[in-house]
Amino acid sequence: MTSDLVLTGISKRFGAQNAVQQIDLTVPAGAFFALLGPSGCGKTTTLRMIAGLEEPSTGTIRLGEQEITGLRPYKRPVNTVFQNYALFPHLDIFENVAFGLRRRGVKDFKPKVTEMLDLVELGAFGKRRPAQLSGGQQQRVALARALINQPQVLLLDEPLGALDLKLRRQMQIELKRIQTEVGITFVHVTHDQEEAMTMADTIAVMNGGAIEQLGTPAELYDLPATTFVANFLGQSNLLRATIIGRAEQNLIVDVQGRKVTVPLPRCRVTEGDVWMGIRPEKVFLSRAGTEQSNGVNQLRGAVVTDVSYVGVSTQYLVKLSWDQELTVFEQNTGARGTLAVGDQVDLHWQPAHTFVLDAQQDALAGVEDIDDSGGAG
Amino acid sequence: MTRAGRWFGRNLVMMVAIVVLLYLFAPIVVVMLMSFNEPKSKLSYTFDGFTWDNWQHPCRPFGMCDAVSTSLRIGLLATVIATALGTLMAFAMVRHQFRGRSATNLFIFLPMASPEIVLGSSLLALFVSSGFGGQLGFWTILIAHVMFCMSFVVVTVKARLAGMDTRMEQAAMDLYANEWQTYWRITFPLVFPGILAAALLSFSLSFDDFIITNLNAGTTVTFPMYVWGSAQREIPPQINVVGTAMFLLALLLVVGGELTRRRRTR
Ligand SMILES: Nc1ncnc2c1ncn2[C@@H]1O[C@H](COP(=O)(O)OP(=O)(O)OP(=O)(O)O)[C@@H](O)[C@H]1O
Ligand SMILES: [Mg+2]
């Protein structure tokens, strides 16, 4: 019944602007797939091409065996939950939800609509108009209106964007539950990395109309392929480094005169200048000179410049001898007393947590709202 | 003193509103009153006595009901034609990209902006020079009315359309409605209030028009022309009967529309 959705070489130009550039993508049947990226990166455009509301400039879209690239929207077994719901204001909730079934000439649609309204807990609201519902309720109507058609693929364009945080979390769980229940392929567009990570099986990170990286949330987080992904998904410390040699399955990297090892498979480039990356929670801090190196990477002679206590963890800013500041998260296990500003510390981390990226890329690419995720303030 | 002042301040807006309403409704009240007048002389402007007679014999003044009927027929026809063409025009101008769209936007406003007397006389010149000078009458009036009503229709419907979210239609298509179904199930119902408003406006413009009509009417007489003509000699109170009837009809339409709208949104 359901089949893979395959995009091959999809591009979309609006006049001189390339909204989407050469996307190749396979969404496995039944997957919860997230398209993640900053505003204006082409997520909606990609979704609209799948729905048939926009015609690709190049490339093909297939659903299993069937090519759907040129099909009119109403000929595709695909339904959309729009960014602002787009409920029909002149029809009541029941008729909104029944719309698709009626158009397809499904007989005996009434019990189905009632059942669907119950599924989204709006059974008592059938006679109301969209304007008489709250944002969260409208969102559920939009979902019900699309889901009732049992499409092969359900497209969701930031369906939770307009909801407040609490409702958002609630709906995330709800959506995930419904998806597991109905087994339909979900393509979920969002610019909220946390939402994508908690909900999706597979995430495609988009930037500037292209896909930067595709993988499971853990894969993307553990081994980002670009500086953009490293910064957009969680936080990363990126240090200027040079590859100077190779030892068995590791590369030796020089960071301002100190040697660091990185497993070969974790290196995107294998020679010349690079960015050496490490996630803040993977770094362990010790008072200067108290820990020996035993196979772990180290940077000695740093100074704590900022400490923010966050309850479960503490976030440190440490300044390295060449004045670069790194972020370090430490769980407050109580094993060692917290450090204070001005303390001399050494940094330790596992080679297996290190990653190496192309130095051509911008170290600040994908850094979002530094103010509320960074610790400088 | 201050208490009175405060009371005055609080109710000032209300009092202004009442005065404005009185100002607006005074002529209508007079029309209604005069429809029950029993004038002593032919050119009487005063209320001389009450009678049902005018309402019982509205067609007594010679030619008046013919004039009303002509006006109604022209009004209805002009409304239908102007609304249909104007709506199509509005759709084209909002939904399609074409060369000279902004110029068209400007041209649409021209008939509304030019003085009626100029429009009327140049239309007459057009009719005469193209050989229709002998056939001035119902059809030339109709053509003229369609022309000036259309601008208003385009502007009214365009405003409604431009404010409409195309995502509604996209959502309908996404939900298996083809172009035809999308138009009739979504687009049309959503634009309908605009079309209705345009139609009502067209009708009242057409029914009311004197200047352009007078220039292009030949021997045909519309209601406004009849009133104008008779005002020179006598003022039959039945004119006020027609006026009152029109007013009540309009009131009925507005109130009815408002009631259905309220019932729908409840
Ligand atoms: N109809 C259009 N005409 C011209 N440019 C367009 C059109 N639609 C989108 N674009 C441009 O294409 C780019 C991608 O737009 P898109 O709507 O896909 O972004 P998005 O990733 O969905 O962003 P957001 O998160 O803000 O919704 C943007 O730069 C946008 O300005
Ligand atoms: Mg978008």
Side-chain angles (χ1 to χ4, degrees):
Chain A
M1 162 76 196
T2 50
S3 25
D4 294 359
L5 173 69
V6 184
L7 276 61
T8 321
I10 288 290
S11 303
K12 179 68 189 179
R13 300 174 63 87
F14 291 112
Q17 190 186 9
N18 284 310
V20 172
Q21 312 183 35
Q22 288 297 323
I23 282 191
D24 291 300
L25 199 64
T26 300
V27 182
F32 199 121
F33 189 95
L35 266 181
L36 175 67
S39 186
C41 72
K43 306 182 296 290
T44 297
T45 307
T46 308
L47 219 58
R48 288 171 58 81
M49 288 191 282
I50 300 173
L53 299 170
E54 211 83 70
E55 203 177 330
S57 308
T58 66
T60 57
I61 302 172
R62 315 176 64 82
L63 200 56
E65 294 298 297
Q66 193 193 6
E67 167 153 2
I68 59 168
T69 320
L71 278 188
R72 304 291 296 142
Y74 48 85
K75 295 248 172 80
R76 301 182 185 210
V78 171
N79 288 114
T80 311
V81 177
F82 287 82
Q83 200 158 1
N84 291 69
Y85 316 146
L87 299 179
F88 306 130
H90 60 300
L91 302 178
D92 65 18
I93 301 309
F94 186 94
E95 285 302 326
N96 263 280
V97 176
F99 194 87
L101 294 183
R102 276 185 186 274
R103 297 292 84 74
R104 283 187 303 161
V106 174
K107 292 200 182 65
D108 206 26
F109 56 86
K110 279 193 178 133
K112 291 196 179 121
V113 176
T114 313
E115 191 184 325
M116 190 38 102
L117 283 176
D118 287 339
L119 179 75
V120 295
E121 292 165 7
L122 288 173
F125 293 81
K127 284 273 166 284
R128 292 218 200 166
R129 303 236 163 195
Q132 295 164 306
L133 297 187
S134 73
Q137 290 165 339
Q138 290 184 27
Q139 197 277 328
R140 280 181 279 163
V141 175
L143 184 65
R145 186 177 72 170
L147 263 185
I148 196 169
N149 302 293
Q150 299 186 308
Q152 291 199 32
V153 180
L154 184 73
L155 308 172
L156 302 109
D157 194 356
E158 307 209 23
L160 311 179
L163 308 182
D164 64 44
L165 196 67
K166 188 157 164 278
L167 202 53
R168 226 179 138 95
R169 296 280 171 263
Q170 206 174 313
M171 285 304 300
Q172 285 174 5
I173 297 167
E174 192 72 354
L175 264 185
K176 186 75 191 163
R177 177 182 70 77
I178 291 174
Q179 197 263 340
T180 326
E181 218 163 89
V182 296
I184 291 171
T185 313
F186 275 35
V187 179
H188 183 105
V189 160
T190 178
H191 61 243
D192 178 349
Q193 49 110 1
E194 202 177 319
E195 186 172 299
M197 298 246 262
T198 52
M199 297 176 78
D201 314 321
T202 313
I203 301 177
V205 180
M206 279 188 82
N207 184 30
I211 291 183
E212 294 257 335
Q213 194 178 0
L214 193 146
T216 66
E219 280 166 10
L220 297 188
Y221 189 80
D222 182 54
L223 189 56
T226 62
T227 55
F228 178 84
V229 177
N231 292 321
F232 195 72
L233 243 73
Q235 265 179 278
S236 292
N237 293 305
L238 296 175
L239 290 84
R240 245 322 178 207
T242 312
I243 292 174
I244 51 169
R246 183 170 171 171
E248 294 163 35
Q249 284 309 299
N250 293 310
L251 285 183
I252 312 297
V253 180
D254 174 289
V255 183
Q256 309 278 334
R258 291 142 186 93
K259 288 191 179 50
V260 161
T261 55
V262 187
L264 195 52
R266 297 184 63 84
C267 298
R268 296 286 161 178
V269 278
T270 51
E271 56 185 9
D273 286 345
V274 294
W275 291 114
M276 190 214 68
I278 179 75
R279 296 285 189 184
E281 76 282 4
K282 299 283 166 48
V283 179
F284 168 70
L285 293 178
S286 70
R287 290 188 192 281
T290 60
E291 297 273 344
Q292 294 308 307
S293 91
N294 28 27
V296 301
N297 290 327
Q298 285 188 318
L299 287 174
R300 295 190 179 276
V303 182
V304 176
T305 55
D306 188 73
V307 181
S308 16
Y309 181 76
V310 205
V312 293
S313 64
T314 305
Q315 180 179 321
Y316 295 101
L317 280 186
V318 295
K319 189 181 266 176
L320 300 170
S321 52
W322 58 93
D323 273 5
Q324 185 178 0
E325 278 191 333
L326 298 190
T327 310
V328 179
F329 298 147
E330 269 196 359
Q331 291 295 312
N332 289 334
T333 56
R336 187 209 59 215
T338 48
L339 299 161
V341 174
D343 284 356
Q344 296 278 329
V345 289
D346 297 336
L347 284 66
H348 317 259
W349 72 93
Q350 296 291 334
H353 291 149
T354 323
F355 50 85
V356 161
L357 302 173
D358 190 348
Q360 303 291 318
Q361 295 168 354
D362 178 8
L364 293 178
V367 176
E368 268 196 326
D369 40 60
I370 297 165
D371 296 5
D372 58 49
S373 63
Chain B
M1 174 64 206
T2 39
R3 260 183 64 186
R6 243 183 286 140
W7 180 91
F8 192 75
R10 238 180 293 133
N11 294 285
L12 185 65
V13 175
M14 200 59 202
M15 289 191 297
V16 172
I18 290 171
V19 170
V20 170
L21 276 180
L22 280 179
Y23 184 63
L24 282 177
F25 281 107
I28 294 171
V29 172
V30 170
V31 167
M32 285 178 154
L33 258 177
M34 291 308 247
S35 73
F36 297 103
N37 190 17
E38 193 176 12
K40 291 255 167 57
S41 69
K42 280 190 165 187
L43 265 175
S44 164
Y45 292 100
T46 52
F47 196 79
D48 300 328
F50 182 89
T51 174
W52 288 107
D53 188 60
N54 306 326
W55 282 87
Q56 278 161 347
H57 308 280
C59 286
R60 187 179 294 148
F62 176 76
M64 193 191 81
C65 278
D66 290 339
V68 171
S69 135
T70 306
S71 273
L72 282 177
R73 279 183 295 139
I74 289 176
L76 289 175
L77 262 177
T79 299
V80 169
I81 298 172
T83 307
L85 292 179
T87 301
L88 289 176
M89 182 82 186
F91 264 94
M93 289 177 65
V94 175
R95 290 297 166 81
H96 295 276
Q97 301 287 337
F98 55 88
R99 267 165 157 275
R101 192 165 75 152
S102 43
T104 315
N105 257 321
L106 189 71
F107 286 138
I108 286 297
F109 270 100
L110 280 183
M112 290 197 280
S114 9
E116 274 199 50
I117 190 76
V118 177
L119 276 185
S121 51
S122 48
L123 256 178
L124 177 62
L126 177 70
F127 285 136
V128 172
S129 66
S130 54
F132 290 100
Q135 279 123 307
L136 289 180
F138 187 88
W139 296 105
T140 48
I141 299 175
L142 181 66
I143 290 169
H145 284 201
V146 167
M147 180 211 66
F148 69 73
C149 285
M150 203 138 65
S151 293
F152 289 90
V153 174
V154 173
V155 170
T156 314
V157 177
K158 227 178 70 175
R160 180 82 193 177
L161 253 185
M164 209 185 103
D165 197 342
T166 52
R167 269 177 312 189
M168 294 306 157
E169 286 148 315
Q170 293 172 4
M173 286 221 182
D174 187 63
L175 291 165
Y176 312 102
N178 59 30
E179 286 83 358
W180 181 254
Q181 292 168 323
T182 302
Y183 181 79
W184 286 111
R185 303 258 167 210
I186 306 298
T187 317
F188 185 76
L190 289 178
V191 183
F192 183 71
I195 297 178
L196 186 68
L200 291 177
L201 188 62
S202 293
F203 183 79
S204 70
L205 283 172
S206 163
F207 191 83
D208 199 39
D209 185 74
F210 177 71
I211 300 175
I212 295 180
T213 313
N214 200 28
L215 282 162
N216 294 283
T219 55
T220 307
V221 177
T222 63
F223 182 64
M225 289 166 69
Y226 177 88
V227 175
W228 172 254
S230 61
Q232 323 284 321
R233 294 166 273 119
E234 57 167 341
I235 302 172
Q238 279 84 350
I239 285 175
N240 299 312
V241 172
V242 174
T244 309
M246 292 301 293
F247 172 75
L248 291 179
L249 196 72
L251 196 69
L252 205 74
L253 278 175
V254 172
V255 171
E258 182 66 12
L259 282 183
T260 47
R261 197 184 63 80
R262 279 203 202 158
R263 209 182 41 233
R264 278 220 208 118
T265 48
R266 187 169 301 142

